[in-house]
Amino acid sequence: MSRRTRSRIALKRRARAPLFAALGDDTRLSLVAKLCRGKPRSISQLTRGSKLTRQAITKHLRVLESAGVVRSVRSGRESLFEFHPEPIGELKKYLDLVSEQWDQALSRLKSFVER
Amino acid sequence: MSRRTRSRIALKRRARAPLFAALGDDTRLSLVAKLCRGKPRSISQLTRGSKLTRQAITKHLRVLESAGVVRSVRSGRESLFEFHPEPIGELKKYLDLVSEQWDQALSRLKSFVER
DNA sequence: TCGTTAAGCAACCTCCAGGTTGCAGATTAC
DNA sequence: GTAATCTGCAACCTGGAGGTTGCTTAACGA
């Protein structure tokens, strides 16, 4: 791999950490699970059934929004949150890259042993 | 989706959060990047070129190890860390599940509109 | 054998993520 | 018009994540 390619990957990596971090919380994963399987929901709706306060849920939603996993639109007095799939796709690509590098490393090691 | 299926997914979700969290840090992503593309490395090796202390790096490695992304083997006076690909694969599966649910939700919505 | 190098352990510090309460401003329903 | 509902903002609290320093033990090399 060229140095240029590697630094490009490093650049991508930098951007990925906050995304992973945003998903690294039970409450937020639960919110994503709710939103990815249906229509936009309001904060109050998303708070119902949770043990947390509305404000806590709001904070989590803002984190997800900053990471781009979710988008909010104000509609009257309520703000609706909707799932946004792109970051998830990017994350999958990144994980594919990691797996791919690992496979290449394995085959390099194998050919080295067989030599 | 049946209630049983959904709870199974929720169970899987619980287990995923710590894994996402383990990857939600620049330093740790960088360590994963190094380890996934080569042979096992010692703590000192991994510390070289970093601005952090050996102990800091050690802590990060332990976090990755708890998440299963990495495994350590003691060899003489040094402990070698090696990439372990399974959790990454599980993560990809989980993200696929999320994407899939989103696609289904979209098509449900579409058929509802067209009705 | 002795110096050097690798690692583990423990104490400590700082800061912020995650959560709460309280209040004020819009918007909707009646 | 008034009450109920949805949200935003700000202050505050607390635990743990991330980092450091200092010391000790174990293994290797000359």
Side-chain angles (χ1 to χ4, degrees), chain A residues 6 8 14 17 25 28 30 34 37-38 42 45 55 60 62 65 69 72 77 79 81-82 87-88 90 99 107 109:
Chain A
R6 193 179 314 160
R8 222 169 17 221
R14 291 273 153 63
D25 179 283
R28 288 197 290 268
S30 157
K34 277 181 194 165
R37 83 163 77 99
S42 73
Q45 277 178 300
Q55 285 81 349
H60 283 299
R62 295 302 171 200
E65 191 179 21
V69 190
S72 73
R77 66 178 159 180
S79 71
F81 284 79
E82 183 180 26
I88 301 290
E90 295 295 313
S99 302
S107 58
L109 182 62

Side-chain angles (χ1 to χ4, degrees), chain B residues 28 53 55 59-60 76-77:
Chain B
R28 288 197 290 269
T53 322
Q55 284 80 351
K59 283 192 185 179
H60 283 299
R77 66 178 159 180

Side-chain angles (χ1 to χ4, degrees), chain A residues 77-96:
Chain A
R77 66 178 159 180
E78 54 189 8
S79 71
L80 300 174
F81 284 79
E82 183 180 26
F83 179 71
H84 191 241
E86 278 168 40
I88 301 290
E90 295 295 313
L91 225 51
K92 281 201 282 186
K93 279 188 205 165
Y94 182 75
L95 293 179
D96 282 335

Side-chain angles (χ1 to χ4, degrees), chain B:
Chain B
M1 188 177 356
S2 73
R3 176 171 306 171
R4 174 123 171 255
T5 305
R6 193 179 315 159
S7 75
R8 225 174 11 227
I9 292 174
L11 209 64
K12 287 187 73 177
R13 194 199 334 123
R14 289 273 154 62
R16 297 296 167 261
L19 189 45
F20 278 117
L23 298 176
D25 179 283
D26 272 334
T27 305
R28 288 197 290 269
L29 269 192
S30 157
L31 288 171
V32 169
K34 277 180 193 164
L35 290 175
C36 83
R37 83 163 78 98
K39 294 178 233 171
R41 295 165 190 268
S42 73
I43 297 180
S44 298
Q45 278 179 300
L46 292 169
T47 302
R48 249 163 245 151
S50 163
K51 289 169 186 169
L52 300 184
T53 322
R54 173 179 55 86
Q55 284 80 351
I57 299 292
T58 303
K59 283 192 185 179
H60 283 299
L61 286 170
R62 296 301 171 201
V63 171
L64 289 173
E65 191 179 20
S66 306
V69 190
V70 136
R71 291 192 165 169
S72 74
V73 180
R74 190 75 190 234
S75 159
R77 66 178 159 180
E78 53 189 7
S79 72
L80 300 174
F81 283 79
E82 183 179 27
F83 180 71
H84 192 241
E86 278 168 39
I88 301 291
E90 295 295 314
L91 225 49
K92 281 202 283 186
K93 278 189 206 163
Y94 182 75
L95 292 180
D96 282 335
L97 198 68
V98 170
S99 303
E100 187 189 331
Q101 291 194 351
W102 174 244
D103 290 341
Q104 289 175 5
L106 274 194
S107 58
R108 271 201 306 276
L109 182 60
K110 194 182 167 198
S111 70
F112 176 76
V113 169
E114 284 172 349
R115 190 176 302 166

